[in-house]
Amino acid sequence: MRSLFDLSFSVKIPLWGSLLILVTAGLVGLSLMFRAYDDLRQDVLISADSLGRTLSNTLFPAMLHDDVWRAFEIINAPFHGATPENPVQASALILLDNQEQVYVSTLPETYPTLADFRRFGPHYAELAERLKEVKGETTQSFEIEGSDRIFVAAPIADGEKRLGTLLILYSRTVSIPRFLATAQRAGGIALLILAVLLPINWYWGRRMAVPLVQLSSSMGEIRSGILDTPALETYDYRDELGQLFTAFSQMVEELRENERMKNEMMQSQRLAAVGRLAAGIAHEVNNPLGGMLTAVDTLKQRPDIDPRVMKTVGLLERGLMQIGDTVRVLLVEASAQSRPLTPNDIEDVHTLLQPQARKKLLHLEWLNGLAGETALPATDVRQILINLLLNAIQATHEGGRIDCGISLVERELILSITNDGSPLSDELMTHLFEPFATTKSTGHGLGLWVSYQIARQLGGGITAENLPDAVCFTVRLPMGRQA
Amino acid sequence: MSCHPFRLTVLALFAVLITAVPALAETPAWRVGMTPAFLHDQHVVLDDWRAYLERRLGRKIEFVQRDSYLETMDLIRLGKLDFAWICDYPYVHLGNHVRLLAVPVNQGKPLYRSYLIVSARDPHTQSLVQLRGKVFAYSDPYSNTGYLVPRYQLHQVGEEPERFFSRTFFTWSHRKAIEAVASGVAQGAAVDSFVWDTLAKIKPELTARTRIVSRSPEYGFPPFVAHHSVPEGDFKAMQGALLRMEQDPEGILLLQRLNLDGFTPGDPAVYNVITEMMNALGER
């Protein structure tokens, strides 16, 4: 039994619906059949009442004149041309005198004239007792327990003068064929209704269950990773199920956003750690490096130096210089003391980069939205802008296009550099702002890292995203918050 | 009786003359009383017979049907009927009110009997006396075979007819007496042999439900009578029309449908036995 309740809704809803329909059809059918049976009984009683009244009027003079044959002809008249299947057809009529003796009956062999009515059996003895209740000119029906007949008694009386009782016998079994026919018809109609309702119910049930099942399986898939969860098929209605779908989609979206933020956080923490490590090492290397370079310089000033030694010293100096260069790059520091950024600084960068752009036949769309002095160090912003533009020029194919937009939005300087080069791979995206991450054959991959470090030090950030047919780098730098 | 060619020609000529007579509608109709002495509820046969007689007699004829003999007898006494076909017992009863006109011939004789019948499902009863305490159906208090005969028979064996049966009732016709026995309302009845035999031909399923226990001696057949006031000419005309029925094809056909052979002038003395029975029962 329990396994029945464990079934999927896609089976359970149509199944329960069908069960309900069957039960309803059954109950309605039964009540109709009961009603039909009751109607039939009413028909019998009404027919008996009118028959009793009609006959008793004409029987009174016949009995009064002691005309047995006439009485017989009167009670026998309803049987002329009658069909035996007619359920409202009486099975027999018995005319009783006041002594409960048969005066005459339509079945003289069974109920012969002058026979004592009580002798026909226990039902009749009981009935004879109850017949005494029949008063006046009203007909009355009796059902004796254990008897398969309905008895209707009509007094033969004119005013106070009572001559006897007309008893009309109905068989209960005669009505069974008609009742069965009614039942059969009702059954046929019920089957027809079921034939229409059951498929509708099945379709409706499945329609309702399928989204539920889909929702349930989607929920199951969340466990295997929110970002891999496929999107739900839409459910277009605003019922509870629709609300559930909306809520579920929102939940999945929020979970995804969370996951993305978590990933970004981890990346920025990693970048920060890498930055600190690089800066630390650079710092530690830079101090002895200054001493070493001074020592080498002092050594070069000596007049008595052997030319072979001089050559070695030169070699040392160049190596140390190169280390110094590298360390300086790693030792990124926002130049806090720089003057504020003006629109001219931006235009300078434009001018500076135009030859390179022209060399690759690029279309450089320039939009400078800056109106006046901005509370940001000019050197740092220019460095970031140059770095990003140089990257863009390199990433763009010949004859391509670069869009550069500089604008102020809600006290934030937004630099947006878009190129129509190849999209960035997921792998590259993950390590984009780390040092020495590069796809290019030339360059050491420090440009983005430096830009990122500067932006962070200025309290902002850089994001990269793949747009359709383009790659966009966006720098956000909040104003008035110098590192 | 064989048909003479000359006589046939005259008859045919007569028939043509009769149909041509325009006075038919103006003369007052003869009223003929019909009783349950025969199967008087064969309405189509009666209509055809009436039309036949009208053509033969050139008179308008009206059949007056009553279910009890007494009513017909009263009509005769009051002079409201010119002719009547009644049972032999009423004939005797009416005495000088009527004259014997013609007697139908049944199975070659102007005689009939009383049949004592019981239900076909009663194989035991062999005589009237075995019906003691039973329900018995009489046809009419003025019927010979349906009332007088069984009572006379009981009287003959020393029984008192009024108390012999537990219950008796009248059905007002022989046919219904047969139906009463067939349906079981009565356990026995005495009926007109002519009616029973006719029914055995036209409705055998009814008579098959009854069984003849005994047949009485023969009595004069229920006669056609004329009211004593009917003029001699009319008497002869009517008598002639009835007696000649067996001589023309249409009449023969009608006689067949009535289950009769023909008519004979009859002899009033045949009915004297009725008077004897009436006297024996003290009915007069």
Side-chain angles (χ1 to χ4, degrees):
Chain A
M1 192 61 201
R2 203 186 150 71
S3 58
L4 200 67
F5 290 98
D6 288 342
L7 283 173
S8 161
F9 266 126
S10 62
V11 178
K12 207 149 68 169
I13 292 178
L15 210 63
W16 283 120
S18 307
L19 203 70
L20 264 178
I21 289 172
L22 281 172
V23 168
T24 309
L27 283 179
V28 169
L30 273 180
S31 64
L32 280 178
M33 270 155 69
F34 180 77
R35 177 73 198 271
Y37 182 76
D38 206 46
D39 282 353
L40 204 63
R41 225 182 87 83
Q42 285 302 321
D43 284 355
V44 167
L45 292 182
I46 289 167
S47 144
D49 185 63
S50 85
L51 187 66
R53 281 171 197 281
T54 313
L55 295 187
S56 61
N57 277 341
T58 43
L59 282 170
F60 184 83
M63 281 188 90
L64 191 67
H65 302 150
D66 199 14
D67 196 339
V68 175
W69 181 250
R70 181 152 168 68
F72 174 74
E73 286 191 316
I74 290 167
I75 62 172
N76 208 31
F79 291 91
H80 276 294
T83 50
E85 302 88 53
N86 182 1
V88 292
Q89 171 71 46
S91 56
L93 276 75
I94 305 174
L95 191 55
L96 299 176
D97 62 18
N98 283 335
Q99 285 74 49
E100 266 87 40
Q101 280 190 341
V102 175
Y103 187 79
V104 72
S105 76
T106 55
L107 292 176
E109 313 259 305
T110 321
Y111 310 105
T113 299
L114 292 180
D116 187 343
F117 182 67
R118 281 168 285 235
R119 299 258 172 87
F120 295 139
H123 304 323
Y124 295 88
E126 190 187 336
L127 184 63
E129 285 308 306
R130 289 175 63 179
L131 279 180
K132 289 173 182 158
E133 300 161 16
V134 181
K135 295 263 191 290
E137 293 181 7
T138 53
T139 59
Q140 203 171 326
S141 69
F142 300 96
E143 279 181 72
I144 307 293
E145 212 164 306
S147 167
D148 62 347
R149 291 168 189 279
I150 299 170
F151 301 91
V152 178
I156 309 297
D158 189 359
E160 292 295 303
K161 177 75 178 165
R162 171 93 174 252
L163 294 180
T165 311
L166 174 65
L167 208 58
I168 308 171
L169 274 63
Y170 288 95
S171 168
R172 285 187 223 236
T173 52
V174 170
S175 56
I176 286 173
R178 177 161 142 184
F179 175 67
L180 286 180
T182 311
Q184 208 173 358
R185 245 191 340 260
I189 291 169
L191 281 180
L192 208 70
I193 291 170
L194 287 183
V196 175
L197 280 189
L198 284 181
I200 291 176
N201 164 67
W202 200 260
Y203 169 77
W204 173 80
R206 285 199 69 90
R207 214 185 125 85
M208 184 138 153
V210 162
L212 272 177
V213 170
Q214 204 190 353
L215 201 62
S216 150
S217 75
S218 285
M219 280 184 181
E221 280 172 26
I222 286 182
R223 242 174 288 156
S224 61
I226 183 71
L227 294 174
D228 298 331
T229 306
L232 275 176
E233 278 176 40
T234 47
Y235 181 87
D236 276 341
Y237 307 97
R238 298 172 65 96
D239 55 11
E240 282 75 5
L241 206 53
Q243 289 168 17
L244 203 57
F245 263 67
T246 312
F248 182 74
S249 297
Q250 274 173 2
M251 189 190 81
V252 167
E253 204 41 59
E254 276 164 21
L255 282 174
R256 274 195 189 138
E257 191 57 38
N258 255 351
E259 188 73 12
R260 252 198 306 275
M261 277 172 69
K262 207 166 82 187
N263 286 350
E264 272 174 24
M265 185 85 91
M266 274 168 64
Q267 195 170 0
S268 81
Q269 275 172 357
R270 195 171 68 229
L271 284 173
V274 169
R276 274 197 302 277
L277 182 65
I281 291 170
H283 205 73
E284 290 305 315
V285 169
N286 207 28
N287 282 344
L289 197 64
M292 278 194 273
L293 280 172
T294 310
V296 167
D297 200 39
T298 311
L299 196 62
K300 274 168 66 183
Q301 302 301 322
R302 296 266 294 266
D304 54 341
I305 200 158
D306 188 82
R308 277 189 298 176
V309 173
M310 190 65 183
K311 199 179 168 188
T312 309
V313 167
L315 195 75
L316 271 174
E317 192 182 24
R318 284 193 298 280
L320 288 172
M321 292 278 271
Q322 193 178 345
I323 293 171
D325 282 349
T326 308
V327 165
R328 247 192 314 282
V329 174
L330 284 173
L331 204 62
V332 179
E333 267 188 32
S335 34
Q337 287 75 31
S338 173
R339 55 183 178 80
L341 182 73
T342 63
N344 280 339
D345 290 313
I346 307 294
E347 288 310 311
D348 286 349
V349 174
H350 188 199
T351 314
L352 203 63
L353 287 169
Q354 249 167 2
Q356 302 214 37
R358 220 174 289 134
K359 214 160 71 185
K360 276 188 92 172
L361 304 170
L362 297 178
H363 175 73
L364 181 59
E365 183 70 35
W366 197 264
L367 192 86
N368 187 356
L370 228 55
E373 259 190 26
T374 309
L376 280 168
T379 320
D380 292 335
V381 175
R382 278 168 55 142
Q383 194 181 348
I384 292 171
L385 196 57
I386 290 167
N387 274 344
L388 291 178
L389 280 166
L390 283 173
N391 275 352
I393 289 166
Q394 278 192 323
T396 312
H397 307 290
E398 219 156 287
R401 172 196 172 107
I402 291 171
D403 285 281
C404 179
I406 296 100
S407 55
L408 267 171
V409 178
E410 290 177 0
R411 296 197 56 75
E412 261 192 345
L413 181 72
I414 313 281
L415 310 177
S416 165
I417 295 99
T418 311
N419 70 74
D420 60 356
S422 318
L424 301 170
S425 68
D426 284 351
E427 171 67 17
L428 186 58
M429 207 60 120
T430 316
H431 302 288
L432 197 59
F433 297 109
E434 289 172 21
F436 311 109
T438 180
T439 53
K440 297 169 287 193
S441 46
T442 57
H444 40 57
L446 284 170
L448 273 176
W449 184 74
V450 168
S451 300
Y452 182 82
Q453 294 299 325
I454 292 171
R456 294 297 291 176
Q457 283 176 25
L458 289 175
I462 304 179
T463 55
E465 58 182 326
N466 284 319
L467 299 178
D469 300 324
V471 179
C472 177
F473 282 82
T474 308
V475 184
R476 291 168 180 274
L477 298 170
M479 289 198 292
R481 184 186 165 275
Q482 303 215 338
Chain B
M1 235 180 272
S2 63
C3 290
H4 199 277
F6 170 73
R7 206 176 195 179
L8 263 180
T9 318
V10 170
L11 262 174
L13 211 79
F14 188 58
V16 170
L17 272 173
I18 283 170
T19 42
V21 171
L24 188 109
E26 279 107 62
T27 51
W30 280 343
R31 291 166 59 85
V32 182
M34 289 295 173
T35 63
F38 70 112
L39 287 172
H40 72 314
D41 48 3
Q42 285 177 282
H43 305 290
V44 180
V45 180
L46 282 179
D47 274 352
D48 293 348
W49 192 17
R50 190 177 54 80
Y52 169 85
L53 289 174
E54 278 183 349
R55 283 199 301 278
R56 286 288 173 276
L57 293 165
R59 289 292 294 257
K60 213 168 154 46
I61 286 172
E62 197 183 308
F63 281 175
V64 180
Q65 278 175 259
R66 290 293 181 269
D67 275 353
S68 77
Y69 289 127
L70 187 62
E71 283 176 83
T72 309
M73 285 158 71
D74 286 343
L75 289 173
I76 291 170
R77 284 198 192 100
L78 293 168
K80 300 217 166 177
L81 293 177
D82 301 300
F83 305 97
W85 188 2
I86 53 174
C87 189
D88 42 349
Y89 183 18
Y91 165 64
V92 173
H93 227 286
L94 286 166
N96 289 333
H97 284 285
V98 292
R99 293 165 66 194
L100 188 62
L101 180 77
V103 182
V105 179
N106 167 38
Q107 295 177 348
K109 289 184 281 188
L111 301 172
Y112 79 139
R113 303 165 191 268
S114 168
Y115 287 167
L116 176 67
I117 58 166
V118 294
S119 166
R121 273 162 295 187
D122 167 12
H124 309 294
T125 308
Q126 297 303 328
S127 72
L128 184 58
V129 287
Q130 282 177 275
L131 289 174
R132 180 191 300 277
K134 297 285 170 65
V135 178
F136 197 83
Y138 293 128
S139 66
D140 191 294
Y142 286 94
S143 167
N144 175 26
T145 50
Y147 184 66
L148 196 59
V149 170
R151 282 160 54 84
Y152 180 71
Q153 285 173 345
L154 285 173
H155 179 78
Q156 291 293 94
V157 295
E159 296 288 347
E160 202 179 332
E162 314 303 336
R163 300 190 183 179
F164 183 73
F165 302 111
S166 65
R167 171 150 220 147
T168 60
F169 59 87
F170 295 105
T171 62
W172 308 104
S173 90
H174 293 288
R175 180 189 185 134
K176 286 179 178 175
I178 295 168
E179 282 172 6
V181 172
S183 64
V185 177
Q187 275 104 51
V191 296
D192 183 328
S193 67
F194 167 63
V195 171
W196 197 95
D197 291 338
T198 309
L199 275 176
K201 279 186 185 173
I202 63 171
K203 212 169 179 202
E205 68 274 15
L206 175 63
T207 49
R209 286 158 67 197
T210 64
R211 177 171 66 88
I212 299 169
V213 171
S214 63
R215 292 173 170 81
S216 74
E218 289 175 325
Y219 301 98
F221 204 89
F224 256 87
V225 296
H227 192 255
H228 65 86
S229 65
V230 172
E232 189 60 24
D234 292 351
F235 182 92
K236 287 286 177 205
M238 188 61 167
Q239 192 179 43
L242 290 174
L243 296 185
R244 282 193 294 273
M245 271 182 75
E246 61 187 276
Q247 292 165 13
D248 69 273
E250 206 185 338
I252 289 165
L253 210 64
L254 273 168
L255 285 170
Q256 277 171 4
R257 288 164 74 190
L258 288 163
N259 196 30
L260 292 174
D261 298 334
F263 288 91
T264 158
D267 174 10
V270 171
Y271 300 99
N272 290 343
V273 65
I274 306 282
T275 320
E276 284 167 30
M277 290 198 289
M278 281 164 70
N279 291 338
L281 286 167
E283 302 253 327
R284 195 147 201 178

